[in-house]
Amino acid sequence: MLPLPFIPSKPRVHHTRRGVAAAPAALTLVSAVYNEGPDLVLTFDRQIDIASMDVNQVIVDDGEIFGFRYQGVGAPELTSPTTVRVLLNGISEDPDPGVHFSVGAANGIVAVDDGAAWTGCVDLVLPYP
């Protein structure tokens, strides 16, 4: 029996995958406190940028303490690298029980490190958590 001829194979070429940029980690609200000012203080899990914040997106329904629905007004105040304070203005009476707040997705709060936008919230009970 004759030996089989040696046929070299093509060299293997290792292709490196081009990494797809990972989506930024979600900016997370860790605390919300409603004060008699009235104002709302929001604290996040990392540093935030409020330069484009739309305070009109902030709504507090206080049917328990003052009986009003409030909306954010004026300029937001960065009280620490992770905390923003929003002044509130009464816009209507609120006979519903409890105190809760909502912030629209177009609120303009973003993380400093990666630009992740905060998606807002709907009907969170105050104080949060």
Side-chain angles (χ1 to χ4, degrees):
M1 182 169 190
L2 293 171
L4 294 176
F6 177 74
I7 302 174
S9 63
K10 293 182 181 180
R12 287 189 177 189
V13 177
H14 295 280
H15 297 280
T16 56
R17 283 188 153 180
R18 291 186 182 182
V20 176
L27 181 59
T28 304
L29 179 70
V30 295
S31 170
V33 178
Y34 170 59
N35 299 303
E36 291 183 19
D39 63 36
L40 182 66
V41 178
L42 305 173
T43 303
F44 294 88
D45 64 336
R46 58 190 191 266
Q47 291 185 1
I48 56 173
D49 179 355
I50 60 168
S52 297
M53 184 177 179
D54 180 2
V55 296
N56 293 319
Q57 297 282 320
V58 177
I59 300 291
V60 174
D61 290 309
D62 174 4
E64 185 173 309
I65 301 168
F66 297 112
F68 277 97
R69 170 175 255 205
Y70 294 95
Q71 183 173 27
V73 64
E77 176 187 359
L78 195 63
T79 59
S80 83
T82 61
T83 305
V84 61
R85 177 177 172 249
V86 177
L87 297 177
L88 301 170
N89 185 44
I91 57 173
S92 66
E93 290 187 12
D94 184 6
D96 295 334
V99 180
H100 54 276
F101 77 108
S102 298
V103 180
N107 60 68
I109 300 173
V110 297
V112 169
D113 59 358
D114 60 8
W118 182 45
T119 59
C121 60
V122 177
D123 287 332
L124 289 183
V125 174
L126 286 164
Y128 175 81

